[in-house]
C-alpha cells in the first residue's frame, strides 16, 4: 500500500525505539534490518532488548549495528514468561523513551509488544507480533490467556504491523478488529541472498534450521524419517539450532533408532548451513513469515514445508506444494516426491519460486511499509484529537 503525501510528510525524522526480548532468530534479523534501513533513511533509531539471551552471535550483531543507533542500545534482563521483573523492564523502557524523546515505540514479539504498549509515553505505539502469542494452539488455556491479554493491549496500539496475513487473520478471529491502523509488512531479503548456494559434497539428505522446540514440528519430522528409512532409503538428517527441547529431541532420536541417521549442531550462518543439506524441511505447527523459508527459497534450495501461518504467502501460486502440519505421513510423502523428482523438473520449480520471491519480498519495500504504517498512525491520532477538540467546542457553545 503506497503512502499518502500527508503520511510521507509525517514520516520524516522520527525517533524510533525498537523493543523486543530475545536477540535470536527471525525477529532479531527483522529488527536489525529495519534499524539499518531506518537509520539510512535519516531516522534516529535505538534498541532495548534482553541481556541474558543470544550469546556471542547476538553480541556481535548488536555491536555491528550500534554505530547506526543514534538513540543507543540498552540491554536489560527480560523473562520469556510473565514475571515480577517485568515492572523493572517497563520502567527502564519508559525512562529511556523519555530520555531520547522517542516519537515511535515499536514493540516486536509478545513480550516486546507488551512493554512498548504499556510504557507511559506520548510516542506512537506500533506492534509486530512475529507470531508470538498468536502461535499457541487455539483452544488451549495459554492461547485463551494470551488472546485476552492481546485484546487489552490492542486498546493501547496505534499501528498493527503484521508480518503476514496469516497472523493478521488470527488476530481478527481471536481478538477482534482491529480498528487501528493496520499494515501487512512482509519480511524482506537482500538481492545477494538470491545467489544459489553450492551444495557441499557430504551434504545431508534432509536439513532443519531453527529453534529446537516441539512446536516447530520436529517430532513429526523424525517420524517421517523413520517411515522413509523403513522403505530402504538410508537418509540422513542434520538439525541446526538450539532451544528448550533439545534434550527431549535427542532422546527421541535414540528411542526411534535414529542415532546414526540424525545429528545436531549449534546455530550457524544460514547460507553456510544451506550448503550442507539437499532438502530443507520446515515441519512447523505454527509460523508467522519465517525467514528460513524466504532465505532457502531465494537461494533455490529444494523445500518441504507445512501449510501454516504466512508460509502459503511465501509460496504464492505454488502453495499447493505445502503439506498439512501434524502429519508425519504427509511430510514423508512430500519429501519422497522431491527425492524422486527429476533434476530438471526440480531445478525449474525451485528457480520459479526464487523468482517469485524476488518480486514480492524486498528489504526496500519492508522498510517503506513500516514507515508508512507509522505515518498513518500519526495521521489517525491527529484526526482523533481534532474530532475530540471539535466535540469539546460544540459542548461549550451548546
Amino acid at each position: 500500500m503506497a503512502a499518502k503525501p500527508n503520511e510521507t510528510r509525517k514520516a520524516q525524522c522520527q525517533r524510533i525505539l525498537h523493543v523486543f526480548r530475545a536477540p535470536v532468530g527471525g525477529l532479531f534479523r527483522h529488527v536489525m534490518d529495519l534499524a539499518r534501513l531506518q537509520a539510512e533513511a535519516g531516522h534516529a533509531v535505538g534498541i532495548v532488548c534482553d541481556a541474558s539471551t543470544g550469546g556471542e552471535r547476538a553480541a556481535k550483531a548488536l555491536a555491528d549495528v550500534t554505530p547506526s543507533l543514534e538513540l543507543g542500545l540498552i540491554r536489560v534482563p527480560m523473562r520469556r514468561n510473565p514475571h515480577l521483573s517485568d515492572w523493572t523492564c517497563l520502567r527502564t523502557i519508559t525512562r529511556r523513551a523519555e530520555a531520547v524523546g522517542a516519537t515511535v515505540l515499536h514493540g516486536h514479539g509478545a513480550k516486546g509488544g507488551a512493554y512498548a504498549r504499556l510504557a507511559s509515553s506520548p510516542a506512537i505505539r506500533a506492534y509486530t507480533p512475529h507470531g508470538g502469542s498468536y502461535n499457541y494452539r487455539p483452544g488451549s488455556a495459554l492461547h485463551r490467556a494470551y488472546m485476552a491479554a492481546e485484546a487489552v493491549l490492542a486498546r493501547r496500539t496505534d499501528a498493527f504491523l503484521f508480518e503476514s496475513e496469516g497472523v493478521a487473520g488470527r488476530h481478527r478471529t481471536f481478538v477482534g478488529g482491529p480498528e487501528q491502523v493496520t499494515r501487512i509488512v512482509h519480511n524482506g531479503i537482500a538481492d545477494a541472498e538470491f545467489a544459489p548456494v553450492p551444495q557441499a559434497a557430504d551434504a545431508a539428505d534432509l536439513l532443519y534450521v531453527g529453534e529446537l522446540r516441539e512446536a516447530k514440528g520436529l517430532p513429526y519430522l523424525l517420524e517421517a524419517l523413520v517411515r522413509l528409512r523403513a522403505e530402504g532409503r538410508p537418509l540422513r538428517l542434520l538439525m541446526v539450532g538450539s532451544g528448550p527441547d533439545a534434550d527431549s529431541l535427542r532422546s527421541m532420536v535414540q528411542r526411534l533408532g535414529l542415532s546414526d541417521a540424525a545429528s545436531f549442531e549449534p546455530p550457524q550462518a544460514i547460507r553456510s548451513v544451506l550448503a550442507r543439506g539437499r532438502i530443507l524441511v520446515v515441519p512447523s505447527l505454527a509460523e508467522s513469515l519465517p525467514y528460513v523459508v524466504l532465505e532457502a527459497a531465494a537461494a533455490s534450495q529444494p523445500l518441504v514445508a507445512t501449510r501454516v501461518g504466512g508460509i502459503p504467502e511465501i509460496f504464492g501460486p505454488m502453495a499447493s506444494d505445502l503439506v498439512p502440519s501434524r502429519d508425519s505421513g504427509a511430510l514423508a510423502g512430500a519429501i519422497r516426491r522431491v527425492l524422486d523428482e527429476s533434476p530438471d523438473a526440480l531445478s525449474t520449480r525451485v528457480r520459479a519460486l526464487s523468482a517469485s520471491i524476488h518480486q514480492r519480498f524486498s528489504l526496500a519495500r519492508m522498510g517503506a511499509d513500516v514507515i508508512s504504517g507509522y505515518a498513518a498512525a500519526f495521521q489517525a491520532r491527529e484526526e482523533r484529537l481534532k474530532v475530540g477538540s471539535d466535540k469539546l467546542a460544540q459542548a461549550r457553545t451548546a
Side-chain angles (χ1 to χ4, degrees), residues 139-219:
S140 67
L142 277 175
H143 182 262
R144 289 194 297 270
Y146 277 111
M147 291 303 95
E150 290 289 353
V152 172
L153 291 170
R155 294 195 286 270
R156 294 182 59 85
T157 309
D158 296 295
F160 284 97
L161 305 177
F162 294 112
E163 63 278 20
S164 71
E165 178 56 45
V167 176
R170 285 198 162 207
H171 180 90
R172 289 192 296 269
T173 299
F174 299 110
V175 178
E179 297 179 357
Q180 296 88 339
V181 169
T182 302
R183 293 284 190 276
I184 305 299
V185 181
H186 286 143
N187 296 329
I189 55 179
D191 285 346
E193 296 175 90
F194 288 87
V197 176
Q199 194 173 96
D202 61 344
D205 304 285
L206 308 178
L207 173 68
Y208 169 82
V209 182
E211 267 197 300
L212 299 182
R213 300 178 66 89
E214 291 193 3
K216 291 294 184 178
L218 290 172

Side-chain angles (χ1 to χ4, degrees), residues 66 107 235 393:
T66 296
L235 303 179

Side-chain angles (χ1 to χ4, degrees), residues 6-24:
N6 57 348
E7 290 182 0
T8 301
R9 174 179 59 81
K10 295 188 179 297
Q12 300 304 309
C13 299
Q14 298 302 334
R15 300 180 69 78
I16 305 160
L17 201 59
H18 291 285
V19 183
F20 60 99
R21 188 184 66 85
V24 297

Side-chain angles (χ1 to χ4, degrees), residues 212-274:
L212 299 182
R213 300 178 66 89
E214 291 193 3
K216 291 294 184 178
L218 290 172
Y220 297 94
L221 173 56
L222 295 175
E223 290 171 3
L225 180 58
V226 170
R227 287 171 179 262
L228 292 164
R229 287 177 64 84
E231 298 172 2
R233 299 173 185 262
L235 303 179
R236 293 184 299 120
L237 166 65
L238 171 62
M239 290 182 279
V240 178
S242 61
D245 297 331
D247 289 341
S248 65
L249 289 167
R250 287 189 173 92
S251 296
M252 186 176 181
V253 164
Q254 293 179 343
R255 188 171 67 252
L256 294 176
L258 296 173
S259 297
D260 295 334
S263 57
F264 295 81
E265 292 190 12
Q268 300 163 44
I270 182 65
R271 286 182 66 83
S272 62
V273 172
L274 290 178

